[in-house]
Amino acid sequence: MVAARMAYFVPYFCAAVLFTGIFVYGAVQLATFIPLYTPVECRQLEAGMGAPAIDFVWFNITSSMKQECQNPNPYALHFSQREVGQILIKDGVVLKPVGQTSVPDAVIPTHGKSVSGSSMALSMPVAEAGAFLAKPLFQMVFYAHTRTEANPHFFGFPMVTVENSDKVCGFEVRMSTQTFGPLQCADTLEELVIPDVDAEPKPELLHLSEQYIAELEMQRDAAFGSILAISFLGAAVSTALGAWRVRSLRKARDTKANSSTPQGSMEREAESV
């Protein structure tokens, strides 16, 4: 009889264990996405200039900068350039266009590091180039138009969100030694403060907009909220149905036992009374 009751209860018990396991796993996974985004930290690496190409009219030169970024988040981040950025050289308060910058696509893996770089192509009339090269220091400014794509997987389901960003960045250059100062970026040119060429580079934190993070949080809460609610309800219902089935079986057994009591035993009990 015990075996029969267990046979009725085991399927419900297994379902309850399964739903409970899903609930616990979902809760653990949710904890890994709190907070949802931790700023990526980037450190400036080497920078340098190539050999100039000079003709009778134009002075052309290329340069490159590299940085290493650490991603502390539990998902990969993809960075790409939306459009080519313009490069300008500061001449007092005047900005003179001198070239373009390009940034190849980069992926920072989950809890990993990635080295990325940018290249700059400068071109200016020889007469103007001579005046700038004669200066001990000058400042370069460029515009960065980037796209950030996050690919978190919430309970195995990929969620893709994209944010576009426009920054203005600048650094100081000493041409005599081809030394590049620390790179600094800001949202607007008025907010940009270019460090001294000899200043020590500081790690830069890449922040995402509050609206972008809020969009990710909505997707996270919708995905995990649904899974946790369904698994909790499934565990509770499975347990309740199993208990109800055992009680029904016990009640049916007791009823059957009472109805099968021998008639003679009942008469003897009545006479003794």
Side-chain angles (χ1 to χ4, degrees):
M1 189 63 66
V2 174
R5 290 201 301 268
M6 290 299 297
Y8 283 106
F9 180 71
V10 165
Y12 299 101
F13 175 77
C14 292
V17 170
L18 176 63
F19 282 117
T20 301
I22 295 175
F23 181 87
V24 172
Y25 178 77
V28 172
Q29 286 292 301
L30 176 60
T32 64
F33 289 100
I34 299 176
L36 183 58
Y37 177 75
T38 301
V40 172
E41 182 179 280
C42 294
R43 297 179 180 273
Q44 184 175 330
L45 302 178
E46 70 273 7
M49 286 189 172
I54 306 173
D55 55 27
F56 293 104
V57 180
W58 293 98
F59 174 88
N60 303 293
I61 192 170
T62 59
S63 62
S64 63
M65 302 185 73
K66 290 184 177 181
Q67 63 178 3
E68 181 184 64
C69 296
Q70 172 75 47
N71 179 18
N73 297 288
Y75 49 85
L77 291 168
H78 299 247
F79 296 92
S80 59
Q81 186 179 44
R82 296 182 359 253
E83 58 181 277
V84 174
Q86 187 181 38
I87 303 174
L88 308 102
I89 290 181
K90 291 189 72 174
D91 185 8
V93 294
V94 178
L95 292 173
K96 294 185 177 182
V98 294
Q100 294 180 330
T101 180
S102 60
V103 181
D105 294 355
V107 178
I108 311 179
T110 301
H111 296 302
K113 294 181 180 180
S114 176
V115 176
S116 60
S118 61
S119 60
M120 291 170 280
L122 284 69
S123 181
M124 64 183 74
V126 172
E128 294 182 10
F132 276 106
L133 295 177
K135 295 182 178 181
L137 297 171
F138 65 87
Q139 294 180 336
M140 294 181 63
V141 174
F142 66 90
Y143 290 90
H145 310 287
T146 59
R147 175 182 289 109
T148 303
E149 182 179 317
N151 296 311
H153 286 67
F154 297 149
F155 217 85
F157 297 98
M159 304 291 176
V160 179
T161 57
V162 176
E163 180 186 47
N164 294 328
S165 174
D166 297 289
K167 298 283 186 179
V168 55
C169 305
F171 56 93
E172 200 167 58
V173 180
R174 180 183 290 121
M175 280 301 299
S176 61
T177 58
Q178 294 191 359
T179 302
F180 287 55
L183 179 68
Q184 185 67 40
C185 296
D187 291 330
T188 64
L189 184 61
E190 291 74 20
E191 296 174 341
L192 178 62
V193 178
I194 299 177
D196 184 80
V197 67
D198 295 318
E200 187 70 22
K202 297 180 180 179
E204 180 186 6
L205 296 178
L206 302 182
H207 295 276
L208 300 179
S209 68
E210 294 182 359
Q211 180 180 356
Y212 181 74
I213 295 177
E215 180 182 346
L216 276 176
E217 288 177 339
M218 288 180 61
Q219 296 187 34
R220 177 200 64 189
D221 296 343
F224 282 101
S226 300
I227 292 170
L228 293 177
I230 292 173
S231 59
F232 179 81
L233 181 62
V237 170
S238 299
T239 302
L241 287 175
W244 173 80
R245 192 72 181 90
V246 170
R247 286 197 301 269
S248 299
L249 184 63
R250 183 181 300 168
K251 184 177 180 180
R253 181 201 63 186
D254 295 341
T255 302
K256 183 178 180 181
N258 293 334
S259 62
S260 61
T261 302
Q263 185 68 26
S265 299
M266 295 179 64
E267 290 177 353
R268 284 194 296 272
E269 290 179 1
E271 292 175 357
S272 64
V273 174

